[in-house]
Amino acid sequence: MHAISRRMLSGTTWLMQSAAVIVALVTAGTAMAEPIVITCGACQESPSDPFLQYNYEATQRFNAAHEGRYQVQIRHNQYANSGGPERLQYYQRLALADDLPEVFLLNASEIKELTRTGKLRDLAPDLSADTSWRDSFSRDVFSALSGGSGQIWAIPQQRDAIGIYYNRELLGSVGYDMFPQTWEEFEDAAKKLQAAGHIAIAMDGAWSTLLMWSNLIGTHPQADSFLEKGIRYAGDYISNPAVVTATETLKRWQNAGYVNADSFSGDFQNAAAAYLSGEAAMVANGPWMVNTQIKTSVAIEGLYEMTGYAPSPGWKPDGRGAIVVTGAGWSSGHTADDEKTEAVLAFLKFLSSPEEQLQQARQTGARPAVQVDAKALSTSKLEPLGSRLAEQADSLAFTYPHWRVHAPGLFLEAWRNLWPAYVGGEMDTEDFLRRLANDARAENRG
């Protein structure tokens, strides 16, 4: 019995020791398991920028939901909310150094330029591999983010309808109780506003000016897809009647004095200031302007209550239109297929989920890029000005992208350089449009 007991005890001890070793190994394995880490170049905290702030908060939610499995680390980027050439140049330098973040956010034209580096992930195969994700997006949201051979270079951030803000009291004071329906009425209102001592149209010589140029072209019956293709590929711009008419109309408004004195500054904040101060009756910009400026202390008291948001007038009463665009998207600098791919796709799917898209809409006013349940959309307390325009846009005669979506890389720089000289009479329309097309594509002929 004694010998048997010793053997039983020995066996028990061995089992206990073995179990302890197994537990230790499992514990050690758990301790050694690290989350898959990726970096984001547009996720830093920014109380002054609602888009960046949303990205930051979304990142915290993602990390909390996937703790121990994935982690998004924030890569601080001083150009994250810059719309100038510095941001593209920053990412081009990173691409050259093989140092792009795994996830970052750019506008459509910047993405097109960055594809030349060969360092962006083509997301088309990832979307094809997950058809439920691919089919969750709204119609045409990938058009501005795609390549010529079917590549998809970014996941859309939002789908916006961009209209014209107007001060109902100022327009009402010159006999317009509703926003002008035609360009003829629009110009008549501008003339009356100018005669009454008001700024009719706030412009900046760049962003807002070119939004009006896009509206004039996009609603023209002879536009012939200029904003979709011609702006990038046409041999010249002068042969398109819509472009000629739009350019000469815009010049006439400038020379007639319907605009603010600093309308050539190239800085949208000058155009915004004219509207926010109550001096200007109209300004073209996207729905984000409500939460970022019109509803804030930088605007005069009561401006939001006085503000309407309308589609563009048309060349005919039934020819109104609106810019509808996916202007920005989430790209990835991770081109390999490895464990980091899993984390990149998980984060992109999270950002484009209906729940997060609604949260982004509530915080920024941007319209979801994915299909969202109508009831959820109606009860989400979205900003009403932008929401009404987005709903109205689907029934307009014309919808079109704005200039920046398909323009060549140097288009804005060329416009800024040439527009003041053209308005000042230093060149005629033909010379201006030929030089604009030529200079905008100068880098392609290197």
Side-chain angles (χ1 to χ4, degrees):
M1 289 291 293
H2 185 67
I4 294 172
S5 296
R6 283 202 305 272
R7 286 198 297 272
M8 290 177 66
L9 181 60
S10 177
T12 302
T13 302
W14 180 83
L15 286 171
M16 292 176 64
Q17 289 173 339
S18 298
V21 170
I22 291 170
V23 170
L25 287 172
V26 170
T27 303
T30 302
M32 289 188 294
E34 295 289 338
I36 303 170
V37 177
I38 61 173
T39 57
C40 177
C43 295
Q44 63 206 49
E45 189 172 15
S46 177
S48 63
D49 186 317
F51 282 96
L52 279 180
Q53 187 63 22
Y54 161 76
N55 297 346
Y56 170 78
E57 294 172 9
T59 300
Q60 309 314 306
R61 289 191 289 272
F62 177 83
N63 285 343
H66 297 87
E67 186 175 4
R69 187 176 182 186
Y70 309 128
Q71 184 183 28
V72 177
Q73 289 185 350
I74 296 169
R75 185 165 174 176
H76 287 271
N77 170 10
Q78 63 177 314
Y79 305 112
N81 61 350
S82 167
E86 299 83 7
R87 182 168 65 180
L88 174 59
Q89 292 163 4
Y90 167 76
Y91 280 109
Q92 287 171 327
R93 290 194 298 270
L94 293 182
L96 189 63
D98 288 323
D99 193 29
L100 284 172
E102 276 77 32
V103 179
F104 55 97
L105 186 66
L106 290 177
N107 67 49
S109 62
E110 291 170 325
I111 290 167
K112 280 185 170 61
E113 294 304 314
L114 202 58
T115 60
R116 298 184 184 189
T117 66
K119 301 297 175 64
L120 288 189
R121 183 180 187 84
D122 178 9
L123 293 156
D126 302 312
L127 286 156
S128 295
D130 188 342
T131 55
S132 62
W133 184 33
R134 181 194 65 195
D135 295 343
S136 68
F137 290 92
S138 298
R139 179 173 56 89
D140 297 333
V141 292
F142 289 105
S143 61
L145 307 172
S146 298
S149 301
Q151 307 97 327
I152 294 177
W153 300 118
I155 299 301
Q157 180 193 32
Q158 81 287 329
R159 180 178 183 264
D160 284 324
I162 298 177
I164 302 171
Y165 290 100
Y166 64 98
N167 186 313
R168 288 195 296 266
E169 290 191 5
L170 287 182
L171 273 177
S173 70
V174 294
Y176 281 85
D177 295 329
M178 59 185 298
F179 192 76
Q181 304 292 292
T182 67
W183 289 117
E184 184 178 5
E185 291 178 352
F186 183 90
E187 193 159 344
D188 176 69
K191 182 178 181 179
K192 290 175 178 176
L193 285 161
Q194 193 253 3
H198 302 298
I199 298 168
I201 318 156
M203 290 199 280
D204 56 8
W207 170 251
S208 61
T209 298
L210 282 164
L211 288 179
M212 295 304 297
W213 189 68
S214 300
N215 284 324
L216 286 160
I217 294 170
T219 55
H220 198 287
Q222 295 176 283
D224 193 27
S225 301
F226 176 80
L227 293 168
E228 292 84 357
K229 296 179 182 178
I231 194 169
R232 191 171 189 86
Y233 300 114
D236 62 64
Y237 296 164
I238 189 64
S239 57
N240 189 306
V243 178
V244 173
T245 301
T247 304
E248 292 180 342
T249 300
L250 205 58
K251 176 184 178 180
R252 184 169 67 247
W253 295 348
Q254 287 274 168
N255 286 333
Y258 300 155
V259 300
N260 43 306
D262 50 2
S263 61
F264 291 131
S265 69
D267 185 351
F268 175 72
Q269 292 313 312
N270 290 322
Y275 184 79
L276 297 171
S277 66
E279 297 175 46
M282 297 173 280
V283 65
N285 199 22
W288 52 84
M289 188 177 179
V290 175
N291 288 339
T292 59
Q293 294 182 307
I294 295 175
K295 279 187 171 180
T296 71
S297 59
V298 301
I300 60 169
E301 187 176 353
L303 181 63
Y304 177 72
E305 289 71 25
M306 290 185 279
T307 292
Y309 196 39
S312 165
W315 293 98
K316 296 180 179 180
D318 58 352
R320 303 184 74 195
I323 294 166
V324 178
V325 67
T326 300
W330 291 98
S331 292
S332 176
H334 186 72
T335 57
D337 286 315
D338 54 23
E339 66 173 10
K340 279 197 173 186
T341 304
E342 180 185 330
V344 168
L345 295 179
F347 189 46
L348 292 177
K349 290 176 184 180
F350 177 81
L351 291 170
S352 57
S353 66
E355 296 78 14
E356 283 299 317
Q357 288 274 292
L358 280 172
Q359 181 61 32
Q360 178 185 247
R362 284 190 287 267
Q363 287 186 226
T364 67
R367 196 77 175 171
V370 300
Q371 301 169 52
V372 176
D373 177 75
K375 184 177 180 181
L377 197 60
S378 65
T379 58
S380 291
K381 298 181 180 178
L382 301 184
E383 208 297 306
L385 289 179
S387 295
R388 281 196 294 270
L389 180 64
E391 292 166 7
Q392 189 178 358
D394 292 333
S395 61
L396 294 172
F398 298 100
T399 56
Y400 38 87
H402 64 64
W403 60 277
R404 191 167 66 183
V405 174
H406 298 293
L410 295 179
F411 181 88
L412 180 58
E413 182 179 347
W415 177 280
R416 283 173 170 164
N417 290 339
L418 297 170
W419 176 245
Y422 169 61
V423 172
E426 297 176 32
M427 61 184 80
D428 61 18
T429 302
E430 182 173 354
D431 190 22
F432 170 70
L433 289 177
R434 288 194 190 282
R435 288 185 60 180
L436 180 63
N438 215 36
D439 293 359
R441 289 192 292 264
E443 61 186 2
N444 295 339
R445 295 188 294 274

